[in-house]
C-alpha cells in the first residue's frame, strides 16, 4: 500500500541574494516547461513535485500579523486539520503544503521563486490565498483578475459540475462571479466582507434602495444615512481594525484594458469629501443619531462550532444589542450605485498542474459546508481578518454574524443587504495607494498634499500596465 505522506513545509530563509521584489507578477500566458533552478528549499520542493506530490501554497494571514511565530503556529494547525479531513474523505495521499513565509526578506525570496516556477510551467498545484497586499507585504498575484486574464488558473466549470462536497448552487452567486473571467470559473472565492453601520431597528428602520450611491447617502437629510456614509472612518470597531475607504471606488480598475476607472482629480475630490464628513462627525453634527456601531461584516468562530461567543461591542454601545433584538444594517454604498464587497480569501488551481482531478478534490472539499463552518482555515480568514463564508445558507438555523447569532428576522435583514451588492473586488495595490492618499490629506504637509497624490496615481497606472 502506498505510504501516506502529509507534510507541511515552512520556509523562513533562502541562501541567495536578491533585489527587493516590488514589481507585479509578470502577467503573461504560462509558457512550457523549462529547467528549474534555485537553491536549498527551492530544489527540495522541485524534487517533491517530480515525485508526484500535490503541492498546495497557503498564504492566508501572513501579511497581517506582526508575530511571525504565532502566524506559523496558526497556519500549521489549520493545514494539519485540513489534511486530516482530506485523508478522512479518501482524498490524495501525498499532499504537501507550503506556507508562505512571514518575514519580509524570506517572503520576497519565496515570491521570486514561485513566480519563476509558474512562468516556467511549474509551481504549486493549488493556491489558497488571502488578501496580502497590505502596506508591509506583497501578494503572489497582485491583481487576481489580471492573473485570470493571463491564463494562470485552470478553468473549473467541468469539475464543478461533478463536485462531491460543495453545493455550488448554495454558494453566494454574486460573490462567486468574481472568480469568473470570460465566462469561465477560474477562482473560488472563499469568504467576503463589506463595511456596514448597525442600528437597533427600533431606533432606525429606513427604506434602502439597491441603486443608492454614496452621494445619495452623503447628501441626504437623514443624519443616520449621512453618518453611515462615513467611509473615512478607520480604527477599532468592536475591538478590530478595518479600513473601509477603498470600496468607495467600486472595482477601481478595468482589468481588460488595464486602466483605472477614476481620474486623479476625482480621487482627490473624494478623499477630501470623506474627510470632510468625518470632521462633521467630530464637530458634533451627528450627536443626535441613535446608538450604532461600524464594522466590516464577519463571523466569529470557535474551535469546533458555528455558534460563537457574543460580541458585545461595549466600546461602541452603552448597552449591547441583545441577540433577540431586531437590527438595521446600513451598508456603505459606492460611487456607482450599490454595495462593494471585498474577497477575504480565494482558492484556485494552477493551469500547469498535472493532477487536476486531485487538485480539485482539495478545493471542492475546502468549500464544503462542513469546512466553511468548522475548519481552522475559515476561522483564520473570517475571525481574524473579517469575512463571511460564501455558502449562502449558513445563516439559517440561528447562524452567527456581526457578533451574535441572528434571529430569522435579522437573517432576512442581512440577506436583503446582500441583494444590494453590485461590485465584488479583490484587494490589490490600488488599495494601498488610496489609503496612502487619504493619510496624506489627514496628516501630511502642504507639500506632500500637492505632490504625493500625483505620485500615487501614476504608480497605480504603472502597476496596472506591468
Amino acid at each position: 500500500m502506498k505510504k501516506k505522506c502529509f507534510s507541511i513545509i515552512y520556509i523562513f530563509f533562502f541562501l541567495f541574494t536578491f533585489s527587493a521584489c516590488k514589481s507585479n507578477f509578470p502577467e503573461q500566458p504560462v509558457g512550457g516547461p523549462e529547467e528549474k533552478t534555485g537553491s536549498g528549499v527551492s530544489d527540495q520542493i522541485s524534487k517533491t513535485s517530480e515525485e508526484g506530490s500535490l503541492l498546495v501554497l497557503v498564504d492566508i494571514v501572513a501579511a497581517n500579523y506582526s508575530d511571525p511565530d504565532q502566524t506559523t503556529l496558526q497556519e500549521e494547525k489549520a493545514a494539519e486539520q485540513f489534511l486530516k479531513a482530506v485523508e478522512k474523505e479518501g482524498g490524495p495521499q501525498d499532499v504537501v503544503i507550503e506556507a508562505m513565509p512571514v518575514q519580509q526578506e524570506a517572503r520576497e525570496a519565496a515570491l521570486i521563486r514561485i513566480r519563476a516556477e509558474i512562468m516556467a510551467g511549474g509551481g504549486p498545484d493549488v493556491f489558497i490565498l488571502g488578501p496580502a497586499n497590505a502596506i508591509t507585504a506583497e501578494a503572489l498575484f497582485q491583481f487576481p483578475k489580471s492573473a485570470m486574464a493571463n491564463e494562470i488558473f485552470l478553468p473549473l466549470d467541468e469539475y464543478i459540475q461533478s463536485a462531491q462536497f460543495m453545493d455550488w448552487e448554495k454558494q453566494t452567486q454574486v460573490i462567486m462571479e468574481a472568480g469568473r473571467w470570460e465566462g469561465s470559473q477560474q477562482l473560488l472565492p472563499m469568504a467576503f466582507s463589506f463595511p456596514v453601520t448597525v442600528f437597533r431597528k427600533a431606533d432606525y428602520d429606513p427604506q434602502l434602495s439597491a441603486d443608492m450611491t454614496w452621494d445619495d447617502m452623503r447628501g441626504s437629510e437623514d443624519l443616520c444615512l449621512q453618518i453611515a456614509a462615513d467611509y473615512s472612518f478607520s480604527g477599532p470597531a468592536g475591538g478590530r481594525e478595518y479600513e473601509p475607504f477603498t470600496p468607495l471606488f467600486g472595482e477601481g480598475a478595468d482589468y481588460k484594458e488595464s486602466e483605472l476607472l477614476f481620474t486623479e482629480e476625482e480621487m482627490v475630490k473624494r478623499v477630501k469629501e470623506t474627510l470632510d464628513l468625518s470632521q462633521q462627525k467630530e464637530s458634533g453634527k451627528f450627536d443626535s443619531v441613535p446608538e450604532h456601531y461600524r464594522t466590516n461584516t464577519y463571523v466569529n468562530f470557535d474551535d469546533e462550532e458555528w455558534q460563537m461567543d457574543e460580541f458585545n461591542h461595549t466600546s461602541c454601545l452603552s448597552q449591547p444589542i441583545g441577540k433577540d433584538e431586531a437590527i438595521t444594517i446600513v451598508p456603505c454604498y459606492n460611487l456607482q450605485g450599490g454595495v462593494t464587497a471585498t474577497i477575504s480569501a480565494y482558492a484556485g488551481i494552477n493551469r500547469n498542474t498535472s493532477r487536476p482531478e486531485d487538485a480539485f478534490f482539495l478545493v471542492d472539499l475546502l468549500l464544503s459546508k462542513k469546512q466553511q463552518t468548522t475548519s481552522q482555515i475559515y476561522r483564520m480568514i473570517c475571525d481574524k481578518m473579517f469575512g463571511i463564508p460564501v455558502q449562502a445558507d449558513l445563516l439559517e438555523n440561528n447562524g452567527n454574524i456581526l457578533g451574535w447569532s441572528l434571529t430569522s428576522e435579522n437573517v432576512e435583514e442581512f440577506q436583503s443587504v446582500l441583494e444590494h451588492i453590485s461590485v465584488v473586488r479583490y484587494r490589490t495595490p490600488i488599495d494601498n495607494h488610496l489609503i496612502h492618499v487619504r493619510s496624506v490629506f489627514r496628516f501630511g504637509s502642504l507639500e506632500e498634499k500637492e505632490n504625493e497624490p500625483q505620485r500615487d496615481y501614476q504608480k497605480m497606472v504603472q502597476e496596472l500596465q506591468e
Side-chain angles (χ1 to χ4, degrees):
M1 179 179 294
K2 185 177 180 180
K3 183 178 179 181
K4 297 181 180 180
C5 175
F6 294 96
S7 58
I8 303 171
I9 301 175
Y10 286 90
I11 307 169
F12 293 97
F13 191 74
F14 290 81
L15 300 179
F16 58 87
T17 60
F18 54 90
S19 59
C21 178
K22 294 301 181 184
S23 61
N24 296 330
F25 188 99
E27 302 290 1
Q28 305 172 18
V30 177
E34 298 178 4
E35 182 180 355
K36 298 182 180 179
T37 61
S39 62
V41 177
S42 180
D43 290 337
Q44 178 183 353
I45 293 178
S46 297
K47 181 179 179 180
T48 302
S49 299
E50 290 170 4
E51 293 174 349
S53 296
L54 197 66
L55 182 59
V56 180
L57 178 68
V58 179
D59 185 19
I60 300 176
V61 297
N64 299 277
Y65 281 87
S66 59
D67 185 345
D69 293 336
Q70 180 65 19
T71 301
T72 297
L73 289 173
Q74 291 187 347
E75 291 197 340
E76 179 181 8
K77 184 177 181 181
E80 288 176 347
Q81 185 197 57
F82 181 61
L83 292 182
K84 288 179 181 178
V86 172
E87 180 180 13
K88 181 179 179 180
E89 297 295 341
Q93 301 178 5
D94 56 348
V95 180
V96 175
I97 289 185
E98 174 186 353
M100 184 69 79
V102 180
Q103 194 271 341
Q104 185 174 1
E105 187 177 12
R107 183 180 182 86
E108 290 174 344
L111 288 171
I112 292 172
R113 173 183 57 79
I114 295 170
R115 288 167 175 166
E117 290 178 351
I118 293 173
M119 295 307 296
D125 297 280
V126 177
F127 306 100
I128 303 175
L129 305 176
N133 275 315
I135 300 299
T136 57
E138 181 180 351
L140 176 61
F141 303 111
Q142 293 280 68
F143 298 95
K145 291 191 176 181
S146 294
M148 285 193 282
N150 288 287
E151 301 181 344
I152 301 297
F153 306 109
L154 181 73
L156 302 176
D157 302 87
E158 293 185 7
Y159 299 95
I160 290 172
Q161 292 178 7
S162 57
Q164 302 179 57
F165 305 107
M166 67 173 160
D167 188 334
W168 181 254
E169 297 302 321
K170 289 187 178 179
Q171 309 309 305
T172 305
Q173 292 302 310
V174 66
I175 303 300
M176 306 312 288
E177 280 292 322
R180 297 185 70 81
W181 187 265
E182 298 292 339
S184 172
Q185 191 76 38
Q186 297 187 32
L187 293 177
L188 298 176
M190 297 169 60
F192 65 100
S193 188
F194 53 91
V196 298
T197 302
V198 179
F199 298 85
R200 291 179 172 85
K201 190 171 286 290
D203 292 335
Y204 184 56
D205 187 15
Q207 294 296 317
L208 302 176
S209 169
D211 60 357
M212 181 176 287
T213 68
W214 185 73
D215 287 323
D216 293 335
M217 299 180 76
R218 188 172 62 94
S220 172
E221 295 182 359
D222 183 339
L223 292 182
C224 293
L225 271 184
Q226 286 188 39
I227 199 169
D230 184 13
Y231 253 124
S232 65
F233 177 85
S234 177
R240 300 173 183 237
E241 296 288 328
Y242 75 105
E243 175 55 72
F245 167 65
T246 54
L248 172 65
F249 294 88
E251 183 69 76
D254 181 337
Y255 293 102
K256 291 182 179 180
E257 301 297 330
S258 298
E259 60 185 24
L260 294 172
L261 295 177
F262 53 88
T263 65
E264 179 185 343
E265 292 74 21
E266 183 178 16
M267 174 186 71
V268 171
K269 175 178 179 289
R270 296 306 187 176
V271 167
K272 290 180 177 179
E273 288 172 346
T274 60
L275 293 176
D276 177 67
L277 188 59
S278 183
Q279 290 168 359
Q280 291 180 45
K281 178 181 177 181
E282 294 174 2
S283 71
K285 176 180 178 179
F286 304 112
D287 288 351
S288 62
V289 171
E291 275 199 327
H292 58 278
Y293 73 90
R294 308 288 307 284
T295 185
N296 267 19
T297 49
Y298 67 95
V299 296
N300 291 333
F301 272 75
D302 204 340
D303 286 340
E304 300 294 338
E305 299 183 5
W306 180 249
Q307 300 295 331
M308 313 306 158
D309 294 335
E310 181 178 5
F311 208 74
N312 289 327
H313 303 283
T314 53
S315 63
C316 307
L317 303 172
S318 61
Q319 292 293 326
I321 298 177
K323 292 184 177 182
D324 295 328
E325 284 191 77
I327 59 173
T328 292
I329 303 172
V330 182
C332 285
Y333 290 84
N334 57 40
L335 292 171
Q336 298 79 27
V339 175
T340 303
T342 301
I343 300 300
S344 305
Y346 62 93
I349 297 175
N350 191 341
R351 191 179 288 251
N352 298 329
T353 183
S354 62
R355 298 172 59 182
E357 292 82 6
D358 285 342
F360 184 75
F361 185 99
L362 298 185
V363 298
D364 182 14
L365 179 61
L366 188 63
L367 268 78
S368 67
K369 185 172 184 178
K370 184 174 182 180
Q371 287 296 309
Q372 290 193 46
T373 55
T374 65
S375 71
Q376 290 292 326
I377 288 178
Y378 267 90
R379 177 180 181 178
M380 293 174 71
I381 294 169
C382 298
D383 193 32
K384 303 298 182 184
M385 298 159 54
F386 290 115
I388 304 165
V390 290
Q391 180 133 346
D393 64 348
L394 294 186
L395 293 180
E396 298 175 3
N397 301 317
N398 227 21
N400 184 31
I401 196 168
L402 296 171
W404 64 83
S405 300
L406 293 185
T407 63
S408 58
E409 180 181 2
N410 289 336
V411 168
E412 291 180 5
E413 172 74 11
F414 178 72
Q415 289 174 337
S416 70
V417 174
L418 287 183
E419 294 176 359
H420 292 191
I421 293 176
S422 60
V423 175
V424 183
R425 60 187 286 279
Y426 296 86
R427 185 183 176 104
T428 74
I430 293 174
D431 294 57
N432 299 345
H433 292 297
L434 290 173
I435 292 169
H436 179 250
V437 172
R438 189 180 73 97
S439 178
V440 166
F441 277 99
R442 287 188 69 186
F443 308 113
S445 65
L446 180 60
E447 180 180 359
E448 288 173 328
K449 292 176 182 178
E450 291 177 348
N451 298 321
E452 290 298 313
Q454 183 181 36
R455 291 174 185 168
D456 276 286
Y457 191 85
Q458 290 175 346
K459 287 179 181 178
M460 283 188 276
V461 171
Q462 178 183 354
E463 289 169 348
L464 267 175
Q465 295 175 349
E466 287 179 347

